[in-house]
Amino acid sequence: MAGISYVASFFLFLTELSLGQREVTVQKGPLFRAEGYPVSIGCNVTGHQGPYEQHFQWSVYLLTNPTQEVQIISTKDTGFSYAVYMQRVRSGDIYVERIQGNSVLLHISKLQVKDAGEYECHTPNTDEKYYGSYSAKTNLIVIPDTLSATMSSQTLSKEEGEPLTLTCEASKATAQHTHLSVTWYLMQDGGGSQATEIISLSKDFILVPGPLYTERFAASDIRLNKLGASTFRMSIERLQPSDQGQLFCEATEWIQDPNETWMSITKKQTDQTTLRIQPAVKDFQVNITADSLFAEGKPLELVCLVVGSGRDPQLQGIWFFNGTEIAHIDAGGVLGLKNDYKGRASQGELQVSKLGPKTFSLKIFSLGPEDEGAYRCVIAEVVRTRAGSWQILQRKQSPDSHVHLKKPAARSVVMSTKNKQQVVWEGETLTLLCKASGAESSLSVSWWHIPQDQTQPEFVAGMGQDGIVQLGASYGGPSYHGNTRLEKVDWATFQLEITFPAITDSGTYECRVSEKSRNQARDRSWTQKISVTVKSLESSLQVSLVSRQPQVMLTNTFDLTCVVEAGYSDLKVPLTVTWQFQPASSHKFHWLIRITHNGTIEWGHFPSRFHKKTKVSQSLFRSQLLIHDATEEETGVYQCKVEVYDRNSLHNSHPPRASAISNPLRIAVTLPESKLKVDSRSQVQELAINSNADIGCSILSQSSGNLQLAVIWYFSPISTNASWLKILEMDQTNVIKTGDEFHTPRRKQKFHTEKVSQDLFQLHILNVEDSDQGRYHCAVEEWLLSTNGTWHKLGEKKSGLTELKLKPTGSKVRVSIVHWTKNVTEHSEVAIHCSLESAGSSAALYSVMWYWNRENAGSKMLVHLQHDGLLEYGEEGLRRHLHCYRSSPTDFVLELQQVEMEDAGTYWCRVAEWQLHGHPSKWVNQASDESQQMALMVLPSEPTLPSRICSSALYSISCSSAPSSCSCFCSSPSSAYTGRPGSCQRCVPTHGKKRLSGWT
């Protein structure tokens, strides 16, 4: 804390300094510091030349010899220290900390009385000449440490909720005006060396609670009072278990430096008081409940619940059976089992657990006669001792819970189908169950079938007590070979399975269970019947295809459901579902995916993009196709085909028994509607020349989802024929592209774009100058990336205009207004002049930009003569055709060499004035003016000798240099040209027919 105060104090004094000639400053003295404690003295240099990082040398004029300089330490020379300070510098007791390149702190870790004196900070010269101050001094006075803090060391034992009062004696005898602060701390057991602040009285006499004691301080549970001049008393009204540990008091002495900063100069801690707190004990009761059918083989759960006790008690539970302990769980969750119960728990027959802070459970998963008896639980509230063991505070037990098993009821027989359905389709396995109740015994069974419209039962199968199976005559024949099976599931359950039932297997089935009786001459038997219907697969089959969203937004997920609407919904019939798709660009359905009746999935030969984005799920009579990340390629018509098989088809290649195709369903994948809105308000910014400008582009709203934005910045300069120029573009992938007019290194450095947040983009313009004046706006585009890698533009919005103006600088450029029109002959040379009305300031430089415009061709920059004399051409090919130079202080000339017909048009210039600005200075364009537009007309050159040879009264001829390049046309509309390439021979009458063109 002291080091932080020194640095804060030093930075406070740094803020008072200003730039100018070299000036070295140190903290204002005198500085009073106590013997044995650290001190830090700051030094700063400003207005210097040379490197930013300056060197510092510290010396002292001790009280014993005020005129003798004693060198202490230097940032430049390791051998600077005198012998009296060399050892302390090497050991690190004295060192220099660099805060900035031009600021340091001198640290003395442990002050000695002999360190008092006048300290001087000196900076070696790095300037071209001596100018200013190079050193500064301050006085350091070392005073004795008079602070004392005492409290008797003791050990206190308290109970939770009792009050506590501790007293600390803190005093000082310093001659200077100082303040005292007192703080109480708690060091908890096992908390390491970190002490927790309880409450303090600050140097400003303000009571401040520690972070963990704020609520208790507000409730007046914790107080700190000052009694007399040196007595401080801390009171805790109601002790809590968290207050246990070592408590001590710390006193700190503060002094105010000349810069009005309070500094800690001494600090003392008292001996510690050990506080032990006995937690309060609250009474509780224990209840026990049992959840079971109390039948052999059924589960039993006993729950022991604690009612009452404290808020978060530490409890351990013990289970007793017939007075003997069988299991216990301590407060840490450690489980212990006794006798045979350990083995039963390892085999999964028994479980003992703690369900909650006050709930314990004992589970027996299968009751047996050995589990009959009395159960109870005993709960003990405990607390962990300093040695790590558990100390019992109180102990309670539940009432006994008696467990008695119910006696088995008389025997009966229950008959059912395995899937609880009494209707099956032909070919679907028919499974009948016959289950006897009562005590376990040796049983035999016989199955009988009464066909529909008959009364005489037919023997199907039987099983004796010895397990031998006998099949009936009809069911054991060749047609039923391997089709009928009788099994014994357990001692009381018999299962009859007909694998491939036919319609003739419909009717009533009867199960007869028999048991031998020791006391009766005949066996006892029990009978039960059930009715079964076998349905034919030859029935109507209807399939429908539905979707929750036929209109799907791009990248969304859509689903298609194929529903079988025939009468199979209550039975398991093998189905094969084939999904088909007809793209929007095709008239043919393609096979996408097939889920066969034996569970395999087969993909069609349609493009494999469906494999990665398609999920198919299928239940008994419903198949669902889920397509993720929809693209425009999924637009089209879908349908499904369903084929129904019988059970035999799972084991052979029988064809389907029925099939149907669903209705076609058209799915359209469309782009989401753009919700993009951009701030369209216009504004004007007026800036000083050479300052920086920030132009904002604010997004008011945008569409939701995985969308990206592209931002394009445009600029329209202040010019006669100014058009919108693209400055920068940040596309939807965050790639920056520069506009064609802004490719020069200078303009690339000037303009930068930044994405400040999700809703704000900014264009930064550095060192604004005259040529930057004009209007700016941004165009924002909203893009969506589909899974096939295609970008889709959802919308575009433009912002309002921001007009950038420069504050008047006093500079004015005036280009002479000249109305100039000139006719020149093709292949000749022409000079176009641009003149200033006056030569301007001698401290200024000038640049000129020449522009050209022709109807239907647009305007473009031809050449730029920069203020430093460099030439920059709008196109590299113009270098051989154009020449630009400054003929006098007020005249600029553009020369066109070998003028061509396409050079015709209007020309104008823009002259800019440049002056030095800033520090370090740089050339800045601060004013400009534009000339009138000057018209240039280009006339064809005179015909050459070969062209005259081609001429005649009958021909209209254009030649350049040779007859082979002539264009010959007949002058008379009723004549046609005849001749050979390379010459014009004659025109002949055509008697009103269409005139023919000549050759070129």
Side-chain angles (χ1 to χ4, degrees), residues 111-144:
L111 273 177
Q112 301 176 10
V113 175
K114 63 182 181 180
D115 292 329
E118 186 177 36
Y119 282 75
E120 180 181 32
C121 172
H122 175 75
T123 60
N125 181 38
T126 60
D127 308 330
E128 294 180 356
K129 59 181 181 179
Y130 281 88
Y131 184 53
S133 65
Y134 290 81
S135 65
K137 297 179 180 180
T138 189
N139 284 318
L140 173 65
I141 300 174
V142 180
I143 61 178

Side-chain angles (χ1 to χ4, degrees), residues 820-832 852 881 894-905 907 934-942:
W820 185 86
T821 301
K822 189 169 185 178
N823 297 336
V824 298
T825 306
E826 185 182 13
H827 307 308
S828 63
E829 296 184 356
V830 64
I832 305 173
W852 169 83
H881 186 51
L894 173 68
E895 283 189 356
L896 280 67
Q897 302 167 351
Q898 292 291 317
V899 176
E900 299 176 357
M901 297 296 293
E902 55 266 25
D903 291 329
Y907 291 77
M934 296 167 277
L936 178 66
M937 299 181 63
V938 182
L939 303 178
S941 61
E942 290 297 324

Side-chain angles (χ1 to χ4, degrees), residues 82 134 218 329 347 374 476 691 725 730 796 889 904 975:
Y82 279 7
Y134 290 81
I329 299 180
Q347 296 175 9
S691 61
L725 306 176
M730 179 189 289
E796 178 180 358
S975 301

Side-chain angles (χ1 to χ4, degrees), residues 459-591:
F459 176 68
V460 179
M463 179 184 289
Q465 293 181 1
D466 54 6
I468 297 176
V469 176
Q470 181 182 4
L471 298 178
S474 300
Y475 294 87
S479 61
Y480 276 83
H481 180 68
N483 194 18
T484 305
R485 185 164 61 233
L486 176 60
E487 295 180 349
K488 186 175 183 180
V489 180
D490 55 40
W491 73 268
T493 307
F494 300 90
Q495 176 178 289
L496 176 66
E497 184 177 275
I498 302 175
T499 310
F500 304 113
I503 298 176
T504 55
D505 290 320
S506 298
T508 302
Y509 286 82
E510 179 182 289
C511 168
R512 300 175 185 173
V513 176
S514 301
E515 178 184 14
K516 286 187 177 181
S517 176
R518 298 178 181 177
N519 302 325
Q520 299 181 12
R522 296 193 312 169
D523 292 349
R524 294 185 298 170
S525 63
W526 298 267
T527 302
Q528 188 62 266
K529 296 179 180 180
I530 192 171
S531 178
V532 174
T533 301
V534 180
K535 295 176 63 176
S536 171
L537 287 174
E538 297 178 358
S539 58
S540 62
L541 173 65
Q542 293 182 356
V543 180
S544 63
L545 182 61
V546 295
S547 175
R548 290 181 295 179
Q549 61 271 35
Q551 283 281 107
V552 185
M553 292 297 181
L554 193 72
T555 73
N556 282 3
T557 299
F558 68 93
D559 62 273
L560 303 167
T561 304
C562 185
V563 182
V564 179
E565 297 178 340
Y568 310 137
S569 58
D570 57 341
L571 301 165
K572 292 184 178 180
V573 179
L575 299 177
T576 291
V577 178
T578 303
W579 287 93
Q580 299 173 333
F581 171 57
Q582 176 185 315
S585 59
S586 174
H587 300 288
K588 178 183 177 182
F589 275 97
H590 300 270
W591 167 32

Side-chain angles (χ1 to χ4, degrees), residues 716-976:
S716 176
I718 301 176
S719 179
T720 305
N721 291 323
S723 58
W724 285 104
L725 306 176
K726 183 168 78 172
I727 307 173
L728 291 172
E729 175 184 358
M730 179 189 289
D731 68 12
Q732 64 273 19
T733 62
N734 294 324
V735 174
I736 304 294
K737 302 174 184 177
T738 306
D740 295 339
E741 303 290 336
F742 292 80
H743 268 300
T744 62
R746 187 171 181 273
R747 288 201 162 189
K748 284 184 178 180
Q749 293 175 1
K750 176 179 284 287
F751 295 94
H752 304 274
T753 184
E754 177 189 8
K755 184 177 182 181
V756 180
S757 66
Q758 289 295 111
D759 303 322
L760 179 62
F761 295 82
Q762 281 188 341
L763 176 68
H764 303 298
I765 308 174
L766 304 181
N767 307 120
V768 173
E769 54 194 10
D770 177 74
S771 59
D772 300 323
Q773 292 191 97
R775 296 175 298 166
Y776 295 80
H777 79 270
C778 70
V780 183
E781 299 172 345
E782 199 170 40
W783 292 83
L784 175 65
L785 179 63
S786 60
T787 53
N788 61 5
T790 303
W791 283 101
H792 300 271
K793 183 177 176 181
L794 301 187
E796 178 180 358
K797 295 292 182 182
K798 293 182 179 180
S799 72
L801 300 180
T802 297
E803 183 176 355
L804 196 61
K805 293 182 177 181
L806 288 181
K807 295 179 180 178
T809 61
S811 296
K812 291 185 179 180
V813 177
R814 291 286 184 269
V815 177
S816 300
I817 300 176
V818 178
H819 299 283
W820 185 86
T821 301
K822 189 169 185 178
N823 297 336
V824 298
T825 306
E826 185 182 13
H827 307 308
S828 63
E829 296 184 356
V830 64
I832 305 173
H833 292 264
C834 181
S835 301
L836 297 176
E837 291 183 355
S838 62
S841 170
S842 60
L845 296 179
Y846 293 88
S847 65
V848 63
M849 298 181 73
W850 286 95
Y851 297 89
W852 169 83
N853 179 66
R854 188 171 66 185
E855 187 177 359
N856 300 327
S859 61
K860 65 179 179 179
M861 192 274 289
L862 298 177
V863 62
H864 181 195
L865 175 60
Q866 300 178 11
H867 67 279
D868 55 4
L870 295 178
L871 277 176
E872 175 189 358
Y873 290 89
E875 298 176 3
E876 188 61 30
L878 297 174
R879 186 180 296 274
R880 296 190 302 272
H881 186 51
L882 300 176
H883 181 50
C884 176
Y885 61 93
R886 187 176 183 183
S887 60
S888 72
T890 59
D891 293 323
F892 300 88
V893 180
L894 173 68
E895 283 189 356
L896 280 67
Q897 302 167 351
Q898 292 291 317
V899 176
E900 299 176 357
M901 297 296 293
E902 55 266 25
D903 291 329
T906 57
Y907 291 77
W908 70 95
C909 71
R910 187 171 190 89
V911 180
E913 177 185 311
W914 297 74
Q915 290 199 17
L916 287 173
H917 281 270
H919 182 76
S921 59
K922 60 181 292 185
W923 289 99
V924 176
N925 174 4
Q926 66 176 21
S928 64
D929 192 23
E930 198 170 273
S931 72
Q932 293 287 318
Q933 294 192 358
M934 296 167 277
L936 178 66
M937 299 181 63
V938 182
L939 303 178
S941 61
E942 290 297 324
T944 61
L945 177 62
S947 67
R948 289 197 293 273
I949 296 173
C950 292
S951 302
S952 74
L954 293 174
Y955 307 124
S956 174
I957 304 169
S958 174
C959 297
S960 60
S961 60
S964 61
S965 63
C966 293
S967 297
C968 300
F969 301 95
C970 294
S971 301
S972 173
S974 60
S975 301

